[in-house]
Amino acid sequence: MRAARTLATFDDVELGDHICWHQDSADTSPADVLAYVADGALYGDKIVVVGSASAVLGLPRDAVPSASVILDPPRDADPDSFLAAVRREARTAALEGYRSVRVLTERAPAAAPGGAEELVAQELKLDEFASESNAIVVCAFRPSQWDRPTLEHVAGVHPHEMGIRAERPAFRMYSTGADVWSVDGVIDSEGADAFNTALRAAMRFSPKVNLRFDTLEMIDAAGMHALVDAARHLPDRRIVVEGANDTVRLCWELAGYAAAGLPVVMAA
């Protein structure tokens, strides 16, 4: 079962992890990344680098194992084609006898022309891929290249993070099954906008989205409004919430959201 957590180093990665790596962190050196790549060979994982090796890893190409795959699409490439290429490499790795794939990619602002919601949608697809395939996916973000709100939006849809602790999100939303997303942490006025963006992105993929609130500690009025607003954003969409604790359920009822007609169902 996947669970949200913070990683101290690359040594802590596990199969199925989707990691938001704040690459400017002084705690991570090229030697650490090389050790992570070497661990891939040790455990039988195939390395898939999206972007030039020197840009993503901070290492020359000849320092990367020869069996690695380098995918270097143009910055204006279709994001769906990038994910399709990663999925193909995962299928090929399975046929070749590898345990899994280790994907490393550096996310650049120019690669997300659709804004924060488009970037979040891409990250949700990557997270679903990691969850269903047991791949390890490391997404590197240089905080100096991104505005803080966008970083907060993308951090919230990575179940795992490594690097600068100041960017740690108050909540995380991550895949735990087909069209099922677990929500962990606290959703208050500070995180409501990021939560709304994550939900809107997830609802692009399916007319029905299931949210698991088993590990959600608290959601305030702003968070509940963000939930309802996202459900109303696209026609014929529905959100089913399961696993909410008694406090969350009571607040939902007191706010009047339990009334019939809303596209959000707080299941028993």
Side-chain angles (χ1 to χ4, degrees), residues 3 14 18 49 60 67-68 70 79-80 121 131 137 140 142 154 184 189 222 236 239 246 253:
E14 298 176 358
H18 177 211
V49 178
S68 303
I70 307 295
D80 289 337
S131 175
V137 180
R142 297 181 188 269
V154 297
D184 175 274
S189 57
D236 302 321
I239 296 177
D246 290 342
E253 293 172 2

Side-chain angles (χ1 to χ4, degrees), residues 193-209:
D193 184 57
F195 181 53
N196 180 270
T197 299
L199 288 174
R200 289 186 183 210
M203 293 178 72
R204 294 184 184 187
F205 313 144
S206 173
K208 178 186 174 184
V209 171

Side-chain angles (χ1 to χ4, degrees), residues 55-72:
V56 178
L57 304 174
L59 299 168
R61 178 64 183 90
D62 57 10
V64 182
S66 58
S68 303
V69 173
I70 307 295
L71 303 174
D72 195 5

Side-chain angles (χ1 to χ4, degrees), residues 221 224 250-258:
M224 288 187 287
L250 179 60
C251 290
W252 182 260
E253 293 172 2
L254 291 175
Y257 289 125

Side-chain angles (χ1 to χ4, degrees), residues 17 21 30 50 56-57 77 81 84 110 115-116 125 127 145 157 161 173 184 231 235 241 245 248 251 263:
D17 282 358
W21 171 31
V50 182
V56 178
L57 304 174
S81 65
K125 289 181 180 179
D127 191 60
Q145 296 180 352
V157 291
E161 61 142 0
M173 181 172 139
D184 175 274
V241 178
N245 61 40
V248 170
C251 290

Side-chain angles (χ1 to χ4, degrees), residues 82-189:
F82 144 64
L83 183 58
V86 172
R87 287 185 178 276
R88 282 196 300 271
E89 292 302 334
R91 291 193 295 269
T92 301
L95 293 174
E96 293 172 340
Y98 287 94
R99 181 184 71 157
S100 188
V101 293
R102 293 189 175 210
V103 180
L104 297 101
T105 177
E106 180 167 354
R107 309 296 271 157
E117 186 173 324
E118 179 60 37
L119 181 61
V120 166
Q122 295 172 25
E123 291 298 340
L124 288 175
K125 289 181 180 179
L126 275 174
D127 191 60
E128 195 169 46
F129 161 73
S131 175
E132 69 188 17
S133 67
N134 256 355
I136 300 169
V137 180
V138 176
C139 298
F141 289 85
R142 297 181 188 269
S144 59
Q145 296 180 352
W146 296 87
D147 62 86
R148 186 179 181 88
T150 300
L151 279 177
E152 290 175 349
H153 279 64
V154 297
V157 291
H158 287 78
H160 317 103
E161 61 142 0
M162 186 175 74
I164 302 171
R165 294 295 298 273
E167 302 294 343
R168 184 173 183 175
F171 79 94
R172 291 188 176 102
M173 181 172 139
Y174 53 94
S175 175
T176 47
D179 299 320
V180 179
W181 304 91
S182 285
V183 185
D184 175 274
V186 172
I187 305 171
D188 55 17
S189 57

